[in-house]
Amino acid sequence: MRGIGTAVASLLMVAAVQSGAAQDTVRPPTDAEIAGIVVAANRIDADMGEYAAGRARHAAVREFAATMTRDHRAVLAQVTALAERLGVTPARNAVTRDLEDGARKARAQLEGTAAGDFDAAYVDHEIAFHEAVINAVDALLIPNARHPELKKAIEEVRPALVAHLEHARHLRGALQ
Amino acid sequence: MTGFERMLYLFACAVAGPLTSAHSAAFRESALVVAHAGGARHELEIRAFEYTPRRVVKVAVGDTVVWLNRDAVPHTATAVAGAWTTGNLNGGQRAVFVPRAPGDYEYHCVYHASMKGVISVRASPSDVG
């Protein structure tokens, strides 16, 4: 089941590496594409949380899943409002499409997971997802964001991602 | 918390909690002055998943403690013992608490277990260092 998260992690690690190479060979993402990536990532994890909250057996996992939905929906609303105010229309690019493809595969894999294995599989996914997103934030999104307010908004979201990751790791330890 | 304190606290939260506009903010401030005249006011921020000041705020009985959530995501400030809570605080929202008895009030965010704080309440302003 580690494969679910690994697929997402690989995806964003590639994005991060591409960002490093962007100065020479690859066009860095525009603010519209960065906004699109942020919107997609938050929507994906909010939706995943909603699904997991309905399936998880342990109350702590259900509460974690609800927190993921609550927090990522709040960030989604904030980023959407900011983009609108700045006149930036979130745009899709290869990273966004890969994120969405990865999310569909992860969801399908979780749907096929036996009830007794679901909680651990979901938390593993969340650990990998947040590790990958933090990497992407650090290597791709913050360095390439041009508008100061967009950059600041992403920087301010980073502690939430770190807190989610720590929460997921703690939860995983408790599920052992 | 006595019945009166709980009523006062709930009143303050009811006034402060759901209001977000600039007009409402002015109304909140007026209401707080009416409800808690005389005590000092202590402003705490919730930012980057931390209460700031993070651990201890020395206040006197009857002072007003105000939390302002600067994060995009919702938080709470909830007594570990369960006696009181700000309820859900969305980004930009405030809530207040007026302690009526001395003691160390440990609190946390019910959504994010890593967020913890303590309000150290003294019997009178002269006891506050």
Side-chain angles (χ1 to χ4, degrees), chain B residues 76-99:
Chain B
T76 77
T78 301
V80 171
W84 50 269
T85 180
T86 60
N88 191 76
L89 283 178
N90 292 325
Q93 285 190 314
R94 298 171 196 263
V96 304
F97 173 57
V98 180

Side-chain angles (χ1 to χ4, degrees), chain A residues 67 70-71 74-75 78 156-157 159-160 163-164 166-167, chain B residues 47-49 70-74 88 110-114:
Chain A
T67 294
R70 184 186 309 109
D71 286 1
V75 173
Q78 186 205 41
E156 288 179 348
V157 164
H164 290 172
E166 288 172 359
H167 190 167
Chain B
R47 185 190 289 275
F49 278 60
R70 296 278 191 189
D71 280 343
V73 308
N88 191 76
V110 295
Y111 305 138
H112 308 106
S114 63

Side-chain angles (χ1 to χ4, degrees), chain A residues 156-171:
Chain A
E156 288 179 348
V157 164
R158 192 181 187 282
L161 299 169
V162 172
H164 290 172
L165 176 59
E166 288 172 359
H167 190 167
R169 285 176 174 160
H170 178 78
L171 200 51

Side-chain angles (χ1 to χ4, degrees), chain A residues 89-107:
Chain A
T89 303
R92 301 177 80 240
N93 67 358
V95 174
T96 319
R97 285 189 288 274
D98 285 348
L99 261 178
E100 290 166 351
D101 287 347
R104 275 191 288 274
K105 289 173 185 165
R107 173 67 176 264

Side-chain angles (χ1 to χ4, degrees), chain B residues 49-127:
Chain B
F49 278 60
E50 289 183 357
Y51 301 107
T52 305
R54 189 185 301 180
R55 300 295 300 172
V56 177
V57 179
K58 292 180 178 178
V59 304
V61 166
D63 286 356
T64 299
V65 179
V66 183
W67 287 272
L68 169 59
N69 182 10
R70 296 278 191 189
D71 280 343
V73 308
H75 294 295
T76 77
T78 301
V80 171
W84 50 269
T85 180
T86 60
N88 191 76
L89 283 178
N90 292 325
Q93 285 190 314
R94 298 171 196 263
V96 304
F97 173 57
V98 180
R100 293 296 181 188
D104 286 344
Y105 292 72
E106 295 184 9
Y107 65 95
H108 64 157
C109 173
V110 295
Y111 305 138
H112 308 106
S114 63
M115 294 175 60
K116 294 173 183 171
V118 177
I119 304 171
S120 184
V121 179
R122 308 302 171 87
S124 70
S126 60
D127 296 330

